[in-house]
Every structure is written in C-alpha cells, then in structure tokens.
Amino acid sequence: MSKLAALPSVEKLASSLAPEVSLPRPLVNLFVRREIDRFRQLLLADENHTREEIEKATQQGLIKFANSRLQSVINATGVLIHTNLGRSPLGPRAATALEKIATGYSNLEFDLSSGTRGKRAEYLETALACLLETEAATAVNNCAAALVLTLRTLVEEGKNEVIVSRSELVEIGGGFRIPEILETSGAKLVEVGATNKTHLHDYEKAITPQTALILKVHRSNFYIDGFIGEPEIPEIAKLAHDHNLPLVEDLGSGAIINTDQLAPIEHEPTPQECLRRGIDLVIFSGDKLLGGPQSGIIGGRTDMIAKIKNEPFFRAVRCDKLILTTLQESIDQYLETKANPTESDVPVLTFLSKSIDELKARAKIITKELPTESTEITIESTLARPGGGTMPRSEFPSVAIKLVPNNQSVTKLAKKLRLSESALVGYTTDDALFIDLRTIFPETDHKVTQALKTALS
Ligand SMILES: *Cc1c(COP(=O)(O)O)cnc(C)c1O
C-alpha cells in the first residue's frame, strides 16, 4: 500500500501538464489517468517508481502523444515524394472537391439518369482507361493491395507459380517485400536469372503447366549497374503470350508524363508505354508521381480487370468516396491538360519544374529577415531527390538555406524547428541544418521565416 503513495493525483498532474500541450483539457485528463493506471499496475507488480519518475514519464508521454497528432508540416527536406511526410500533396482543385463530397451526399453508387443503383467508381475507371490509353482500369486502396489482389485473382490451385527475375525481388520499405507479397497472395515464387543478369531463356525454362503468370517489378528505389542485362518487355510479352500467360508489371511510382521533360532527371517508365510494349496489366501507386491520394491503380485488359473486380477480396480493398473524389480530380487534370501537363496543379510536378533562380530569390527574401549574431546563414546550391521509390539515380539541382549555429547544436535547432508551430522539417549534416526550398510551397515562405526567426533568436 505504501508504494501506491507514489502515485500523483490525476487532477493535479493534468493541471500542471495541460499548458505544455495544445490538446483539449479532457483529453489531457484521460491521458494522464491512463498513465497513472499503468503505473499503479507496475507498482502492484512490485516495481519501484518514485513520484518524480511517474510525473516525468507522464509528461514526456503526453508531449509525445500530442506531437503524434496528424498535422501539417513544412517539407524542407528536398525530397519530393517523402513517404514519412505523406507522399504527394494534393492540389487546390482536389481539395475543393474533397470538401464538397465529404460534407454532403453524392452519387457514389447511384445512377442519376435512371434513378436506380449505380456502380461505384464508374466514371473514374473510364477516365483512368483513357489516361492510360488502355482497355480498362480500376483503383483500390494502395499499390500493395493492387498487387495482392491481382495475384490472388490470377493464380489458382495447381496453377499458382509466378515467375520473377532475381534482380527484381525488391523490398520497398514499410514491410513490402515482393517474395512475401507473393506468398500472402497464395502464389508460389519461381525465381529466375541472377542478380545482375536474366535472359529470355531463363524465363522460358521456368514455364511449366503450373505457371500462372510472369511478373515484372520496377526496381523503384535502387539500380544495378555494370555487367547487367535483361530481356526487353516485348520479348518477355511474346514469350508469355505464346504460352497463354499474362505478363503483369508492378511499376511502383507510375509517372504519367515523361519526367525527363520536366527536369534534368532520368526517364521513369510510364504505364502507357509499358502497356504499349506488351504488358497485360500494369499496377502503380496513386500518391507517388501521379500526385493523387493514396491508392493503387490497375490498368490493362478488360477481361482481367473484370475478373479482378469479381474477386471477393476486391470488396475488402475498395476505395472510399473521399479517395475516389480526389483521384478523379487528379486524373481529370491530366486528361484536360494533356498537351501541357505542367499547367495542371499537381504540386509534385510543379515542384519538379521550378527554376533555380526562382528558388534562390525566395531564399534571399527569407534570409534577409533572419538574425545573424549567433548563426552563420548562407544560400547553397544543393541536390533534391524525387524520393518515394522513384528514379533512384536522379538528384536534381536545388537551393537551400544553410544554417550553422554557434550557440546551440544543430540537433537542437532542428528539433526546435520541427516542434515549432509550422513543424518545419529540414535535414542535417554534421555541422549544419539545411532548409531546401524546392519542396516548400511558396505561400508558406512567411511561416518558414517566422519559424527560423524564433528558433534563431
Ligand atoms: C511504392 C511501391 C509499392 C507500394 O506502393 P503503395 O502504394 O505504398 O502500396 C509497390 N511496388 C513498387 C515497385 C513500389 O515502388
């Protein structure tokens, strides 16, 4: 009993901690009560904790809890599609549409011409097929779901072998590994070739009556170089089709427009060109280079898309109306601005094509207002990256504000900025903090200035 005397009162502790976080008081109370209950169990289990320890742990836990609340951040990392920072931001048009659909009723599954039940995603599927210049398309929760669903649909008992080159057994991150995804889908992985070289006859030799399909996986986040080689897609397609097998490609990022026309970077294969070259079904993410919401898009042959939509698992990974709305807006924008896609308001594409002069001018305006007594501030030429498992070889010129503090550590300064009201996230090297302008929305420049001013003074 005496041990429990170490427990602080919920009311008192909550009162003292509430001003430290921007959470409503009832939420602070509940959090503190849970922590104290947790410590009560520990004390009863004969652990030793002093009151100071309990108060300190609760305080740290509460701050961590408050900071973990989903909030907007300013991405100053120079990584365009940053998975940790929510990948692609949506443009204003998608945001407006989202608000309209989210706050009212919609024709999600209602046919306005007949007044009867309609099909979900009917418009989107046709628009997507137009964009991909293919027969049919659909969308699900994310690219991982799209791949699992496609494999589940195309493999069957006794015919479940999926042939993949050893050079494409990638791990994307966040628990996504091709061999494990295959296993989850009920497919049996048949590896062919070597890490650096796969020949057409490797694929050919692996085909058996149990083969369900051939799978190509885009090496999204790494590249191989040196003594390498692989057959061209039309060659693999011919082999697959001669054996009546589908050829599926997991493309990952799926750039709709030619990335090498936007910036001095490598060419990311587009779904359209893959389909043209003989792929039967192409799969890619909606929130990477497409610049839409989290989703997984599948495009290609009508019969296969129909089969996929009939698979019971499709129901478990279908998109909700908010995703369908924002994806529809993203796709429409590409369709409308096809001749000049940079005019569409897809932020990742706008960021990709910003000029160095423009970034430099903005950096100058920001730095002019900063206190320089205790920090060395310069404007540097840097390299930004596409990120999001796309174009791993491509770094492209960017501009950053470099801060070398002499009255505080770089780590401390970086933390201050992250925890500031604007949640400014840059990147650090040993002795400096960099604020890369390429991934910052110009309309938030004043917030960057404010956050830096406060943190430096
Ligand atoms: C990113 C990626 C995925 C996973 O996409 P999610 O939309 O995050 O599920 C799958 N395959 C490849 C090749 C990728 O690059």
Side-chain angles (χ1 to χ4, degrees):
M1 200 56 216
S2 61
K3 270 194 170 177
L4 294 184
L7 292 171
S9 114
V10 173
E11 194 48 40
K12 258 199 187 148
L13 186 54
S15 297
S16 71
L17 297 183
E20 290 188 37
V21 291
S22 55
L23 289 180
R25 181 62 196 272
L27 199 47
V28 175
N29 283 6
L30 288 171
F31 182 89
V32 170
R33 169 155 303 133
R34 280 165 61 92
E35 278 298 276
I36 292 180
D37 283 347
R38 187 170 69 84
F39 275 106
R40 176 174 293 113
Q41 298 308 321
L42 295 177
L43 292 170
L44 288 171
D46 235 23
E47 272 190 31
N48 282 316
H49 294 282
T50 63
R51 176 172 298 214
E52 291 69 47
E53 255 175 63
I54 296 172
E55 287 180 353
K56 182 99 195 132
T58 306
Q59 180 197 32
Q60 285 169 349
L62 180 67
I63 290 171
K64 202 156 184 272
F65 173 58
N67 288 336
S68 68
R69 192 159 196 280
L70 203 52
Q71 57 176 308
S72 57
V73 310
I74 296 179
N75 176 8
T77 62
V79 180
L80 234 52
I81 304 163
H82 199 306
T83 297
N84 302 151
L85 302 182
R87 289 199 184 153
S88 301
L90 296 172
R93 180 172 153 170
T96 309
L98 178 64
E99 194 189 347
K100 239 181 166 166
I101 297 292
T103 55
Y105 295 103
S106 61
N107 62 338
L108 180 65
E109 289 182 3
F110 185 73
D111 183 338
L112 288 169
S113 20
S114 67
T116 54
R117 199 196 150 126
K119 290 194 196 115
R120 178 185 286 248
E122 196 169 10
Y123 178 89
L124 176 78
E125 290 180 345
T126 306
L128 264 175
C130 290
L131 183 67
L132 303 180
E133 296 158 20
T134 191
E135 293 175 8
T138 191
V140 293
N141 212 6
N142 56 24
C143 183
L147 183 56
V148 172
L149 175 66
T150 302
L151 292 170
R152 273 179 76 99
T153 309
L154 298 180
V155 304
E156 53 190 272
E157 189 141 339
K159 204 169 161 57
N160 67 343
E161 292 181 359
V162 174
I163 304 174
V164 191
S165 160
R166 288 202 169 85
S167 67
E168 296 174 0
L169 294 174
V170 305
E171 170 174 319
I172 307 299
F176 183 103
R177 281 182 166 176
I178 290 296
E180 287 162 16
I181 291 283
L182 256 72
E183 202 178 314
T184 309
S185 321
K188 183 165 170 262
L189 170 64
V190 176
E191 303 175 19
V192 296
T195 307
N196 56 330
K197 273 207 179 204
T198 303
H199 301 277
L200 193 63
H201 61 78
D202 291 322
Y203 282 105
E204 193 166 10
K205 270 194 309 203
I207 297 175
T208 71
Q210 285 77 49
T211 306
L213 63 112
I214 298 178
L215 176 68
K216 289 278 298 164
V217 183
H218 182 47
R219 283 186 286 268
S220 304
N221 49 8
F222 76 108
Y223 58 91
I224 55 174
D225 209 348
F227 186 59
I228 55 164
E230 60 187 16
E232 294 285 332
I233 291 199
E235 296 177 87
I236 310 176
K238 179 167 188 319
L239 175 72
H241 298 154
D242 283 349
H243 289 83
N244 250 329
L245 297 171
L247 176 61
V248 177
E249 179 156 23
D250 173 7
L251 204 49
S253 64
I256 294 293
I257 55 176
N258 292 326
T259 46
D260 43 341
Q261 286 174 0
L262 288 176
I265 49 177
E266 72 198 271
H267 176 75
E268 179 78 0
T270 66
Q272 306 92 296
E273 74 194 33
C274 292
L275 291 162
R276 259 199 310 272
R277 301 181 78 203
I279 299 281
D280 297 298
L281 280 183
V282 67
I283 297 170
F284 59 98
S285 284
D287 59 351
K288 291 184 180 170
L289 280 170
L290 180 76
Q294 179 189 304
S295 49
I297 293 160
I298 314 171
R301 274 173 45 185
T302 308
D303 57 335
M304 292 183 189
I305 296 286
K307 208 170 161 203
I308 285 172
K309 291 195 66 185
N310 270 328
E311 152 76 37
F313 188 65
F314 180 79
R315 177 64 178 79
V317 291
R318 73 177 188 189
C319 296
D320 81 320
K321 62 182 177 185
L322 307 183
I323 297 298
L324 291 175
T325 304
T326 45
L327 192 53
Q328 172 180 299
E329 289 301 324
S330 309
I331 302 302
D332 278 4
Q333 282 189 51
Y334 282 102
L335 290 171
E336 287 165 19
T337 56
K338 222 160 180 206
N340 193 4
T342 45
E343 279 174 13
S344 61
D345 69 348
V346 177
V348 284
L349 300 184
T350 320
F351 285 158
L352 205 54
S353 44
K354 283 241 182 293
S355 82
I356 288 293
D357 288 344
E358 184 187 334
L359 301 180
K360 259 194 196 136
R362 286 170 48 203
K364 267 192 199 138
I365 295 174
I366 295 172
T367 49
K368 244 192 1 230
E369 294 196 41
L370 304 180
T372 52
E373 301 80 59
S374 46
T375 314
E376 206 181 293
I377 302 171
T378 48
I379 296 172
E380 303 280 326
S381 299
T382 53
L383 291 169
R385 281 180 295 133
T390 65
M391 303 176 281
R393 253 180 288 210
S394 290
E395 290 185 314
F396 46 103
S398 190
V399 172
I401 300 170
K402 182 182 178 191
L403 303 148
V404 182
N406 49 39
N407 62 341
Q408 58 184 329
S409 73
V410 171
T411 335
K412 192 162 169 214
L413 176 61
K415 186 170 179 183
K416 258 195 216 164
L417 291 167
R418 287 197 307 272
L419 295 181
S420 68
E421 208 173 303
S422 315
L424 178 60
V425 183
Y427 65 95
T428 58
T429 57
D430 280 347
D431 65 340
L433 172 70
F434 290 84
I435 301 297
D436 195 300
L437 271 292
R438 187 168 289 279
T439 45
I440 299 177
F441 287 89
E443 58 270 27
T444 59
D445 280 1
H446 67 283
K447 290 189 183 172
V448 174
T449 311
Q450 193 50 52
L452 287 172
K453 254 184 177 169
T454 312
L456 295 179
S457 50

